[in-house]
Amino acid sequence: MPILKVNKLTKAFGGLMAVSNVNLELNQGELVGLIGPNGAGKTTVFNLLTGIYVPTSGTITLFQDNNQTQLQCLKPYTICKAGVARTFQNIRLFKDLTVLDNVRIAMHKNLDYGLFASLFHTKAYSEEENQLIEKSLELLKILKLHHKKDELARNLPYGEQRHLEIVRALAANPSLLLLDEPAAGMNPAETANLTEMIGWIRKNFNLTILLIEHDMSLVMKICERIYVLDYGMVIAEGTPSEIKANKRVIEAYLGEEVNHA
């Protein structure tokens, strides 16, 4: 069953066509890669899917519980509430808050108490906040960051900051997780650990994942299908083995024609 359908998605910035007629489809539980050379439009697609940019044209449809939600004109916080969470290519943690508080913030969209309860610290407020802390600690423990809960996010090693950003995205309780270059800046050991983590998260959180990544070993190892962008257009789609052998993909990455003889 599809969870996301993107139809003829287009974004123009003045005279620059950043994304042109992109079609994507993700099925429930899939782990799909989105790759392409630098400047191909990958992060622009993520920004369109999450409401940071408004499409020039095209539709983005999220399917959940027999309901369809059109995302293309919604605000980012509404899209997050609908079940789409993301990480960023450049880490965007609240670096002067603790590890625990970074996760708690992401969970506040699920709280039911109102302004009165928060101002006067009613019983409902205390109960929900305590539950929120417990759930945050559970997530941190699952991803092995609970022992750093009281540290400022800025003091974490780079790899753990990357992990914390993923934890924060999971705290929003998404059904669709978008990971924008999660292995950027990591050494081989950190990348290997991240590869295992992404596969484990997909399975244990029952998530569908769309992944942008330049580390082809990671992409080819964990992705079931791959879309390839070049100059804002999808030039190929298929399994990792199909993408490796695709001449248009090779040309896009090498910047020269492949001998078709």
Side-chain angles (χ1 to χ4, degrees), residues 208-253:
T208 305
I209 297 177
L210 182 60
L211 168 76
I212 293 175
E213 186 51 64
H214 283 291
D215 188 322
M216 288 300 101
S217 63
L218 186 157
V219 172
M220 297 298 172
K221 183 174 182 180
I222 65 173
C223 291
E224 295 154 335
R225 288 191 301 119
I226 299 170
Y227 286 93
V228 186
L229 280 183
D230 193 28
Y231 293 105
M233 297 179 288
V234 175
I235 62 169
E237 182 267 328
T239 64
S241 59
E242 290 170 340
I243 294 301
K244 279 192 228 180
N246 188 293
K247 293 178 179 178
R248 288 193 68 188
V249 175
I250 296 169
E251 289 173 4
Y253 273 95

Side-chain angles (χ1 to χ4, degrees), residues 37-144:
N38 286 329
K42 304 181 297 297
T43 296
T44 299
V45 169
F46 268 31
N47 288 340
L48 291 166
L49 296 180
T50 54
I52 293 175
Y53 296 155
V54 176
T56 302
S57 61
T59 59
I60 305 166
T61 309
L62 184 70
F63 299 85
Q64 283 185 309
D65 301 324
N66 297 318
N67 294 318
Q68 299 182 20
T69 305
Q70 297 298 316
L71 303 182
Q72 61 270 9
C73 294
L74 299 182
K75 298 293 186 183
Y77 63 86
T78 307
I79 293 173
C80 184
K81 279 190 173 184
V84 181
R86 70 170 294 180
T87 64
F88 290 86
Q89 182 178 348
N90 298 315
I91 297 173
R92 297 191 184 182
L93 298 172
F94 298 103
K95 294 192 174 182
D96 291 319
L97 296 181
T98 66
V99 168
L100 177 60
D101 284 342
N102 267 271
V103 180
R104 288 175 64 196
I105 286 171
M107 287 190 173
H108 268 87
K109 75 179 186 69
N110 299 317
L111 295 178
D112 293 325
Y113 64 72
L115 179 62
F116 177 86
S118 63
L119 286 175
F120 294 98
H121 288 202
T122 64
K123 182 179 179 181
Y125 167 87
S126 298
E127 288 177 349
E128 286 203 60
E129 283 292 331
N130 288 336
Q131 290 174 7
L132 181 148
I133 291 172
E134 287 179 11
K135 290 178 182 178
S136 299
L137 289 172
E138 285 175 11
L139 271 178
L140 288 170
K141 188 172 184 178
I142 287 170
L143 298 177
K144 300 178 181 178

Side-chain angles (χ1 to χ4, degrees), residues 128-197:
E128 286 203 60
E129 283 292 331
N130 288 336
Q131 290 174 7
L132 181 148
I133 291 172
E134 287 179 11
K135 290 178 182 178
S136 299
L137 289 172
E138 285 175 11
L139 271 178
L140 288 170
K141 188 172 184 178
I142 287 170
L143 298 177
K144 300 178 181 178
L145 284 173
H146 59 291
H147 60 293
K148 301 280 185 81
K149 66 182 179 68
D150 295 320
E151 288 194 28
L152 296 181
R154 69 166 60 252
N155 294 333
L156 293 181
Y158 179 82
E160 290 185 346
Q161 288 189 31
R162 283 280 180 194
H163 290 181
L164 177 57
E165 194 170 38
I166 294 173
V167 174
R168 190 176 61 180
L170 293 174
N173 194 30
S175 53
L176 174 61
L177 178 63
L178 311 180
L179 300 176
D180 192 351
E181 295 195 34
M186 288 188 174
N187 61 42
E190 290 171 331
T191 300
N193 178 265
L194 176 71
T195 302
E196 291 184 10
M197 176 188 290

